[in-house]
Amino acid sequence: MAMLVGRVADASGAPIAGASVIVREVKSLEPDGAPLVASLITDHSGRFNFAASEAGSFFVLVTGPGHEWQQNMVQLANGTPLEVRVRLARQALRKEIDTVRASVDVFGFGKDSLPVMQRQRDGTYVLDVRTKQDTIAYSLVGVAARGSYFGTQTTRVSSTGSYPEYRSVINAVNGVARIVFDPAKLTRDSSAARVAFDGGPGARIAQVFDSTDQFFMRMVAPMREGKRMEPHLMDWTAETRAVLSGLTAERDPLVRQARLLQAVILASFGAKIPPAIGAQALREIPPSAAMWRSGASLRYAAPLVAQQLADSTLSLWRFSRGVALTAGDSARMRADAAAVAALMERLVANTQDPRTRASFIATAIEVTSKWQPATFERLMSVMQTEYADRQGTAEILRRFSANRLLRVGADMPTFSLRALDNDSVSITNHTVKGKFTLVDFWATWCAPCLSEMPDLHEAYDQFNSRGFQILSVSADASPSVVTRFREKWPMPWMHGFVKGALESDELRALQINSLPRALLLDPAGRIVAMDGELRGAALKVTLERLLAASGR
């Protein structure tokens, strides 16, 4: 049995009684890949206990009234319990509070039209609620930066659901419950959450995974500012030195496995990790090891990266799309794809959960699709016959099946999109014919989409005069979101808009259920390049090759 014990405190360090602790076991990265295994409530001292029937990887999500959610990934092993101490960050509040609405149980939670609280001369907000009940429960909308706020007046706090919304409970007097919100009682605190681990090897593994996530956050930080994410140009020297030093000093076998994974993952971020580390990871972490099925391994495709690092093909995989390879490079890619497929099948043979097995097979399909056709066809058949009920299978089949709608060499399916700035104007296949057209499906909430902005603008400026144009198709909440975004990035080309984001009829008809997606159409409307060939530096290489071949 594997144990997790913990204590939850508020931003001041005081224990929170009644804090929520959600535990999900990580099986895969599919939508249903982390099933709920426990929903816990802390006791009067802020403590909780969780027992897993077997060792494994778990997401632990913690929150309390007036505080943000905190998520950490832990690897639980049989033996010594892992202890976690969480000090939560206070819920972020709006800088300016104007209109405050109350979501009250007697009205029904979540209604589109919530009653507005009346502002008083003393700065408080008041709402009288008539009720036959002795008490009412409510939360406030318009106070927190995200979601609802439980209030400043309460006799007790209640919560419901697996991911609780906290509500204040107050008494009714003579059939009336008076809700009073006093902004002066709000505590504004921007202190970050703090998490600490104890408990032998398990604690050190948790710390390794936590620092790995910090590496990832550093890598994606430029995207939050609308800049290009270029991990291969980042200086990872300090992190590499620390990771390799920790690996050299580590003696515990399980912690060594975690540190090897960390080194492999850092290599995928662009750090200069020696190829021998990839080979070492494949030796020291056997296919039967739970570490390959950990959340960190699945999130960053660690088995794949370890094999590519060991075979010295990692940089080739990263930059090969749209770039001419030598005969020697291609031979290395074919050999590496075969090795990756063999590794994934060994992992499948040592894995019980069908979600995790499907995840490994999906990775092998992606790697072999170009370089090992026979293996690719066999794995596609396995995925279709043995894992047809998995949520991720449909996407794999859409992306790689021979009869998929979007594939190089096929005509662009018939489409009709509303223009971003004029919903009475339609953009169709006929609109884009006559030029090479990059159709870019994106959204302002999609971080990888934003990282493409510099390359898109450079490509447009360089190739527009040679018969190249762009159609950006936004899946945002409204056209106004894109209009505001274009104050920073002009995007001086055609724009379409789909209502309903990824659930829109237009994207469903095109079998697009993830972002970003990119298609390059030739002047006749045929798809001549897709996705990886049109991302980052590969975009200009692909355009130069195709435009030159057409005499432009």
Side-chain angles (χ1 to χ4, degrees):
M1 181 175 290
M3 294 285 297
L4 174 68
V5 298
R7 178 181 181 274
V8 181
D10 64 18
S12 69
I16 302 179
S20 296
V21 181
I22 308 298
V23 184
R24 291 185 170 275
E25 187 170 9
V26 181
K27 296 294 187 181
S28 78
L29 296 185
E30 294 180 16
D32 65 343
L36 177 70
V37 293
S39 181
L40 312 171
I41 300 296
T42 58
D43 63 18
H44 67 281
S45 62
R47 300 196 68 84
F48 68 90
N49 294 274
F50 166 69
S53 58
E54 59 182 2
S57 188
F58 300 84
F59 286 127
V60 181
L61 300 91
V62 182
T63 192
H67 288 76
E68 300 283 2
W69 282 98
Q70 173 64 30
Q71 174 176 297
N72 287 87
M73 184 169 56
V74 299
Q75 186 76 16
L76 299 185
N78 296 321
T80 305
L82 174 63
E83 182 171 355
V84 58
R85 301 188 306 279
V86 181
R87 179 181 287 196
L88 296 171
R90 290 199 189 278
Q91 193 170 3
L93 304 174
R94 295 192 178 189
K95 292 181 179 180
E96 296 182 3
I97 297 175
D98 184 13
T99 302
V100 179
R101 298 177 182 271
S103 177
V104 187
D105 57 355
V106 296
F107 301 142
F109 291 109
K111 283 196 172 183
D112 293 335
S113 180
L114 299 175
V116 177
M117 301 185 69
Q118 299 302 309
R119 186 168 185 169
Q120 309 299 301
R121 290 183 177 180
D122 62 359
T124 62
Y125 293 75
V126 173
L127 178 67
D128 288 329
V129 179
R130 294 191 177 278
T131 179
K132 295 180 180 180
Q133 301 173 183
D134 293 332
T135 62
I136 66 167
Y138 73 90
S139 60
L140 304 179
V141 176
V143 178
R146 296 177 298 277
S148 61
Y149 188 75
F150 77 113
T152 58
Q153 158 226 24
T154 181
T155 57
R156 61 184 175 88
V157 175
S158 69
S159 65
T160 59
S162 298
Y163 289 86
E165 173 192 2
Y166 288 98
R167 302 191 281 265
S168 291
V169 179
I170 60 174
N171 297 319
V173 179
N174 297 325
V176 176
R178 168 162 285 200
I179 301 175
V180 179
F181 166 59
D182 186 355
K185 293 183 179 180
L186 293 174
T187 301
R188 296 180 181 271
D189 183 354
S190 58
S191 300
R194 284 180 277 177
V195 181
F197 299 96
D198 291 311
R204 298 210 302 281
I205 292 173
Q207 289 163 357
V208 168
F209 287 164
D210 189 58
S211 63
T212 303
D213 284 340
Q214 296 305 313
F215 296 162
F216 176 76
M217 295 308 295
R218 182 196 161 199
M219 182 178 68
V220 301
M223 292 192 301
R224 297 178 177 177
E225 302 174 5
K227 299 178 182 178
R228 181 186 305 175
M229 186 182 76
E230 296 181 304
H232 59 289
L233 299 181
M234 296 178 67
D235 184 1
W236 295 102
T237 303
E239 290 85 352
T240 299
R241 187 182 300 114
V243 166
L244 296 182
S245 175
L247 175 60
T248 301
E250 188 59 61
R251 293 292 176 266
D252 184 274
L254 278 180
V255 184
R256 276 190 62 81
Q257 290 183 3
R259 292 191 182 280
L260 282 165
L261 277 190
Q262 183 182 45
V264 164
I265 292 165
L266 191 57
S268 73
F269 294 169
K272 295 179 181 178
I273 302 294
I277 295 295
Q280 196 173 347
L282 296 172
R283 283 197 310 273
E284 293 193 31
I285 313 177
S288 59
M291 199 62 68
W292 287 128
R293 287 167 283 282
S294 69
S297 177
L298 294 170
R299 176 185 289 175
Y300 300 111
L304 168 64
V305 179
Q307 186 68 60
Q308 292 172 349
L309 181 61
D311 291 347
S312 299
T313 57
L314 184 58
S315 60
L316 284 175
W317 276 105
R318 187 183 292 121
F319 301 114
S320 66
R321 294 182 182 274
V323 179
L325 300 178
T326 67
D329 290 337
S330 297
R332 286 169 59 196
M333 298 287 268
R334 285 193 293 272
D336 181 68
V340 169
L343 171 61
M344 294 300 161
E345 294 193 84
R346 288 196 297 274
L347 292 173
V348 167
N350 284 274
T351 301
Q352 297 299 317
D353 188 86
R355 287 164 293 207
T356 313
R357 291 203 301 268
S359 178
F360 289 142
I361 293 174
T363 298
I365 285 173
E366 184 161 1
V367 171
T368 58
S369 61
K370 182 176 180 180
W371 301 103
Q372 291 290 339
T375 302
F376 165 75
E377 294 295 343
R378 177 174 58 80
L379 293 173
M380 283 287 286
S381 176
V382 170
M383 180 67 85
Q384 195 163 12
T385 56
E386 298 183 23
Y387 301 96
D389 60 340
R390 298 263 55 87
Q391 288 193 24
T393 298
E395 169 64 8
I396 289 293
L397 297 179
R398 273 193 291 269
R399 288 179 59 195
F400 294 104
S401 64
N403 61 348
R404 63 192 182 277
L405 282 179
L406 303 179
R407 64 187 187 278
V408 172
D411 289 334
M412 179 67 179
T414 301
F415 68 88
S416 179
L417 306 167
R418 59 162 283 189
L420 179 77
D421 55 357
N422 188 344
D423 57 12
S424 66
V425 174
S426 296
I427 300 174
T428 67
N429 303 68
H430 179 74
T431 309
V432 300
K433 280 191 174 181
K435 293 185 177 183
F436 280 87
T437 305
L438 175 66
V439 186
D440 186 40
F441 296 91
W442 76 297
T444 60
W445 46 259
C446 165
C449 302
L450 303 189
S451 70
E452 297 296 326
M453 285 297 146
D455 289 297
L456 288 174
H457 282 78
E458 289 176 15
Y460 184 79
D461 290 343
Q462 182 174 339
F463 296 102
N464 179 239
S465 62
R466 293 171 61 183
F468 169 67
Q469 62 185 354
I470 299 177
L471 167 60
S472 287
V473 183
S474 165
D476 281 288
S478 70
S480 62
V481 175
V482 181
T483 301
R484 290 194 297 272
F485 178 82
R486 291 177 67 190
E487 294 174 2
K488 181 168 186 176
W489 289 102
M491 304 175 72
W493 48 73
M494 284 187 293
H495 289 268
F497 178 78
V498 292
K499 186 177 181 180
L502 294 175
E503 299 301 317
S504 68
D505 292 339
E506 296 92 338
L507 295 194
R508 283 178 174 273
L510 292 172
Q511 298 182 346
I512 291 177
N513 60 4
S514 63
L515 299 178
R517 291 299 307 274
L519 311 168
L520 183 64
L521 312 183
D522 69 8
R526 279 191 310 272
I527 301 172
V528 291
M530 292 177 59
D531 296 326
E533 292 181 289
L534 307 172
R535 294 297 175 201
L539 173 59
K540 288 190 287 187
V541 175
T542 300
L543 289 174
E544 181 60 48
R545 172 171 57 83
L546 293 172
L547 289 171
S550 69
R552 295 183 180 233

